[in-house]
Amino acid sequence: MVAFGKKLKDRQIEEWNGYYINYKLMKKKVKQYVRQIEAGGLERRYVLKDFSRMLDSQIEKIVLFLLEQQGLLASRLDDLGKQQDALQEEPDFAKISDLREAYRDVGRDLLKLLYFVEINAIGLRKILKKFDKRFGYRFTDYYVKTRANHPYSQLQQVFKHVGLGAVVGAISRNLAELQDRQGSYLSIYDQPALPLQDPVVDTIKAAVDRLSYSTNFLTFLGQHALIMQEEIPAPSEEPIDDQRYHFMSLLLNLANTFLYMINTYIIVPTADDYSMSLGAAATVCGIVIGAMAVAQIFSSVYFSAWSNRSYFRPLVFSSIVLFIGNVMYAMAYDFNSIAVLLLGRLFCGLGSARAVNRRYISDCVPLKIRMQASAGFVSASALGMACGPALAGLLQFKFKFYKLTIDQNTSPGWIMAFAWLIYLVWLWISFREPAHPTEEKHEPESTSGPANNDVLEKGVTQPLLISSEAHQDEDDDPEFDGSEETSEDSRAPINSIGAAYRLLTPSVKVQLLIYFMLKYAMEILLSESSVVTTYYFNWTTGKVAIFLACLGLTVLPVNVIVGSYISNMFEDRQILLVSEIVVCLGILMSFHVIIPYSVPQYVISGLIMFVSAEVLEGVNLSLLSRVMSSRLSRGTFNGGLLSTEAGTIARVIADATITLAGYLGESSLLNVTLLPSLVICVMSIVATCFTYNTLY
């Protein structure tokens, strides 16, 4: 992995070299502190004071240069403003065009300055994190709190980019005024949502959004999808996104996600009745529901590998297999065969193309809308999860069509088979296969002047440095030996599940355990709902469908609240730990102990468990997307695949638990299936407490 110190040096603008954070010096200073403390030559109090002074000096250097550059930009904008005022009296279209280009030049220089601030902010974060790791002391908390809240804080200039907003506003407003509005007298202040069709302004806005690093609803949902960003690509890679992107193809991928989630959950309210109609026990519904997840364990891998070569063919194959699987599921009743029923669900799982959907968004959607596309992926999943049970609740009829029985048990299969057939036709007509790039040659990066300067000018349009900063942190530890070597395969994708596992740090393993736990608990709640509610409350299929649909409909509102408000008030790791505890409380409340089991107890405990698990999933994947190695951002065995496999295995085990617990009788089903959920939840809470200080 390329050391951050070397990457920082390579990415610097040549004429600004003396104003960047001296990361290499500070790294060596930390190493020196460690040696001197081990030798007994220094007190910790002196180390904290000396390191604080060094940081203050580095930040002051950065901020004074930043203010100087802001002043130069402001002076240029003032001169351009005077020229614009003169053109108001005597319009000249040629001069207006030149003036707009001059504003764009200022915008491009502003992008370089934003990149300067961003890479220095990353350097500060990394050196603070490195200091904490080496000394086991929460120095970052102390330093940020004492500096950021001080009235003369210079740290605010770096992390809050104070003053740059005024420059961005001036460029945006003046370009908007110079743009042909076809007689409109409205300004950007009258209609803030009015789109300004200027690529420079769009790029500046994207850079400012990345630099601010504040969590909002779209960011939260996008991280929920775990569509990981890779390290900074070369400038030659930048235009590929726009050439490969096709809106209708993106829409087809989102539709595939939506239909697949409907397909997963549409049978949940009726799976127990269907099993009983074929002569099996009601609790066999666990195997019927879980068969799809069993097949998905394998399909995720081959679809992920297939997406390295094509996106269209895997989606066509997925649609055909899902069509066949749903037809088999529907015809199992007329064949009177539980085997055909299970084979139908296995076929449906073999058609799971979620790995392809993720890869298409990650590889083919431009950076400027990738977060929206990622949020769309999560929203489509959530809506499908809600619509599946709701649709099942509407299919309360029974009739014969020729020799085929169509009732509440078989109609989900027929409806989904028809839906996948329509989707296949739409896919065949509208999907456009993107051009696949030739295989990368992983060569050491050149540090030549002109090419490097071009990288810097375009760097702010590349994936978030902040994301790659977190990915690199674990790989950055070898820097303490002074080595600045690069590995030839440092950017090569992982080619085996074992190699991917070896890249996982303890904190990442804990987060995958948390993901496993929440998926297990949610699957237990959803899959056994029809059996439990029938046994305790005599609920009909319609009531079960309404309950499950209401649970699914909570996903988006909960993410709005967490993404827009809660995550801005608390650290992710704090939300993570509290959510785990609340999930645990929800599980405890769900047990049937002594008092008669009531509808309010079941509904309230289920709602607490499900909502807190949704919050936990979003925050957990948000953290996971920042700390996974950047080598897991692409290739077959990527981070998205690992999380999918962890969640799918959890669902398989949960569904198998329901069926096995059924042998003990329906009266014991609830408590027996909740017990493993409680044990795994407690284990995840303990593991989180042990790794709490490593979560950022």
Side-chain angles (χ1 to χ4, degrees):
M1 177 62 67
V2 180
F4 176 76
K6 180 173 176 58
K7 179 167 287 189
L8 176 62
K9 181 180 178 181
D10 291 345
R11 302 292 186 179
Q12 289 177 1
I13 299 174
E14 189 173 352
E15 60 268 26
W16 293 357
N17 277 347
Y19 302 101
Y20 286 89
I21 182 174
N22 196 332
Y23 181 80
K24 187 175 182 181
L25 172 65
M26 299 185 77
K27 183 185 67 178
K28 289 181 177 178
K29 194 69 174 177
V30 170
K31 182 180 177 182
Q32 181 183 335
Y33 288 148
V34 172
R35 288 176 177 172
Q36 290 178 331
I37 287 177
E38 289 175 350
L42 281 182
E43 293 184 0
R44 281 184 175 266
R45 290 181 62 183
Y46 172 80
V47 169
L48 297 177
K49 181 179 178 180
D50 190 58
F51 194 65
S52 297
R53 181 196 57 78
M54 181 180 290
L55 275 174
D56 290 340
S57 176
Q58 290 289 318
I59 291 171
E60 184 176 273
K61 173 184 69 175
I62 295 166
V63 168
L64 292 177
F65 177 75
L66 175 62
L67 292 173
E68 178 188 346
Q69 293 301 312
Q70 283 181 226
L72 294 175
L73 292 177
S75 178
R76 290 169 62 186
L77 287 171
D78 184 57
D79 291 341
L80 293 176
K82 292 175 181 176
Q83 296 177 38
Q84 188 172 345
D85 290 340
L87 285 174
Q88 294 289 340
E89 299 176 1
E90 297 181 12
D92 185 324
F93 290 110
K95 290 183 179 179
I96 288 175
S97 178
D98 292 341
L99 191 60
R100 289 179 65 184
E101 192 57 38
Y103 274 116
R104 291 193 184 100
D105 288 338
V106 176
R108 295 184 187 101
D109 288 340
L110 175 61
L111 285 173
K112 293 168 66 177
L113 190 60
L114 288 169
Y115 187 70
F116 169 83
V117 177
E118 185 177 21
I119 201 166
N120 278 294
I122 293 167
L124 287 171
R125 287 192 186 95
K126 286 184 69 67
I127 200 65
L128 285 168
K129 190 173 182 179
K130 194 176 293 292
F131 187 92
D132 287 351
K133 186 181 292 185
R134 298 293 289 184
F135 290 93
Y137 179 77
R138 299 296 298 157
F139 175 75
T140 300
D141 287 349
Y142 155 76
Y143 188 81
V144 172
K145 286 178 181 177
T146 55
R147 267 62 176 179
N149 296 324
H150 196 276
Y152 304 130
S153 172
Q154 293 178 325
L155 194 63
Q156 292 276 9
Q157 292 278 352
V158 179
F159 284 97
K160 299 292 185 180
H161 47 90
V162 178
L164 288 175
V167 181
V168 174
I171 295 172
S172 302
R173 182 183 66 81
N174 286 291
L175 276 175
E177 288 187 1
L178 290 170
Q179 189 177 41
D180 181 13
R181 289 292 183 185
Q182 296 181 347
S184 173
Y185 293 95
L186 295 175
S187 73
I188 61 171
Y189 303 113
D190 297 315
Q191 292 187 351
L194 192 65
L196 174 58
Q197 303 298 327
D198 196 294
V200 172
V201 174
D202 290 339
T203 308
I204 291 173
K205 184 179 181 301
V208 171
D209 288 343
R210 290 199 301 270
L211 182 57
S212 64
Y213 196 44
S214 60
T215 304
N216 55 34
F217 176 47
L218 282 180
T219 305
F220 189 77
L221 277 186
Q223 290 170 330
H224 199 133
L226 199 62
I227 296 171
M228 297 176 61
Q229 306 284 1
E230 59 178 298
E231 292 180 4
I232 312 169
S236 60
E237 295 174 320
E238 182 185 355
I240 293 176
D241 277 344
D242 287 323
Q243 294 173 8
R244 304 178 73 195
Y245 173 63
H246 181 228
F247 173 75
M248 188 57 70
S249 300
L250 172 62
L251 193 61
L252 281 160
N253 273 278
L254 297 181
N256 183 280
T257 298
F258 175 69
L259 287 176
Y260 186 78
M261 292 304 290
I262 292 179
N263 213 146
T264 301
Y265 290 99
I266 193 172
I267 72 156
V268 172
T270 58
D272 57 336
D273 290 338
Y274 204 168
S275 300
M276 292 174 66
S277 70
L278 297 178
T283 51
V284 173
C285 70
I287 293 295
V288 174
I289 296 170
M292 197 167 175
V294 170
Q296 191 178 341
I297 294 175
F298 305 99
S299 66
S300 295
V301 177
Y302 68 71
F303 271 117
S304 184
W306 201 351
S307 64
N308 291 328
R309 301 184 298 276
S310 173
Y311 300 100
F312 175 67
R313 287 191 291 273
L315 291 176
V316 170
F317 177 78
S318 165
S319 305
I320 294 172
V321 170
L322 280 158
F323 172 78
I324 295 171
N326 280 290
V327 170
M328 291 176 68
Y329 180 87
M331 295 185 69
Y333 182 84
D334 293 305
F335 283 113
N336 193 29
S337 171
I338 192 74
V340 174
L341 186 74
L342 292 173
L343 279 174
R345 289 295 285 178
L346 282 170
F347 263 74
C348 289
L350 291 174
S352 171
R354 287 171 66 80
V356 180
N357 305 145
R358 275 195 178 102
R359 283 292 298 275
Y360 185 87
I361 295 173
S362 177
D363 296 347
C364 303
V365 176
L367 283 168
K368 60 185 177 182
I369 61 168
R370 191 173 298 168
M371 189 57 71
Q372 290 93 321
S374 302
F377 176 85
V378 176
S379 300
S381 300
L383 290 174
M385 183 179 180
C387 290
L391 188 58
L394 298 175
L395 302 176
Q396 303 299 306
F397 47 73
K398 184 174 183 178
F399 62 91
K400 283 274 190 176
F401 183 75
Y402 291 104
K403 294 183 179 181
L404 300 176
T405 303
I406 300 177
D407 59 10
Q408 66 174 13
N409 295 329
T410 62
S411 55
W414 293 119
I415 290 290
M416 292 312 303
F418 180 73
W420 285 112
L421 186 61
I422 296 298
Y423 175 81
L424 180 60
V425 175
W426 180 25
L427 179 73
W428 195 271
I429 295 171
S430 303
F431 192 87
R432 189 175 75 190
E433 179 76 89
H436 281 259
T438 55
E439 186 176 352
E440 289 183 44
K441 294 181 180 180
H442 303 288
E443 300 176 354
E445 297 178 8
S446 171
T447 58
S448 59
N452 188 46
N453 212 29
D454 190 45
V455 169
L456 286 164
E457 291 184 16
K458 296 183 179 180
V460 286
T461 66
Q462 306 300 340
L464 254 179
L465 277 172
I466 292 170
S467 296
S468 62
E469 173 254 330
H471 300 329
Q472 296 165 8
D473 192 74
E474 295 299 332
D475 300 310
D476 203 29
D477 281 341
E479 291 182 65
F480 281 105
D481 63 6
S483 173
E484 296 276 355
E485 296 180 1
T486 63
S487 171
E488 289 185 2
D489 64 345
S490 64
R491 294 190 64 203
I494 300 301
N495 55 14
S496 72
I497 195 74
Y501 183 80
R502 287 192 293 273
L503 279 178
L504 303 182
T505 62
S507 60
V508 173
K509 291 176 183 177
V510 169
Q511 286 170 278
L512 287 176
L513 171 64
I514 294 170
Y515 193 65
F516 177 93
M517 177 273 293
L518 67 91
K519 285 297 183 184
Y520 183 93
M522 290 171 69
E523 189 71 9
I524 289 290
L525 172 65
L526 299 174
S527 295
E528 71 177 11
S529 58
S530 59
V531 180
V532 170
T533 54
T534 300
Y535 177 79
Y536 285 106
F537 318 127
N538 291 319
W539 277 10
T540 62
T541 299
K543 289 184 178 179
V544 177
I546 292 172
F547 172 68
L548 295 177
C550 289
L551 288 181
L553 289 173
T554 63
V555 174
L556 289 180
V558 166
N559 280 315
V560 170
I561 294 170
V562 176
S564 300
Y565 302 103
I566 296 178
S567 59
N568 288 328
M569 295 186 288
F570 303 99
E571 295 181 15
D572 281 355
R573 56 182 179 172
Q574 293 173 328
I575 304 172
L576 184 83
L577 185 57
V578 171
S579 300
E580 286 181 88
I581 295 171
V582 176
V583 170
C584 189
L585 291 175
I587 294 172
L588 286 171
M589 289 174 61
S590 299
F591 277 94
H592 179 208
V593 187
I594 300 173
I595 60 174
Y597 206 55
S598 64
V599 172
Q601 180 185 351
Y602 178 77
V603 171
I604 293 172
S605 60
L607 191 63
I608 290 173
M609 189 195 311
F610 187 84
V611 170
S612 55
E614 276 298 321
V615 174
L616 180 59
E617 181 176 4
V619 176
N620 186 56
L621 292 182
S622 172
L623 284 167
L624 203 55
S625 69
R626 298 205 297 265
V627 299
M628 267 194 178
S629 169
S630 58
R631 292 183 66 191
L632 294 173
S633 65
R634 58 198 177 277
T636 301
F637 299 94
N638 53 69
L641 176 65
L642 292 180
S643 64
T644 299
E645 293 291 85
T648 305
I649 291 171
R651 289 171 51 207
V652 170
I653 296 175
D655 291 323
T657 303
I658 293 171
T659 299
L660 292 174
Y663 289 104
L664 301 176
E666 292 184 17
S667 59
S668 304
L669 177 66
L670 182 67
N671 289 347
V672 170
T673 53
L674 285 175
L675 191 59
S677 300
L678 181 62
V679 172
I680 300 171
C681 188
V682 172
M683 288 173 56
S684 72
I685 292 173
V686 173
T688 302
C689 291
F690 275 110
T691 59
Y692 186 78
N693 287 334
T694 66
L695 300 175
Y696 285 84

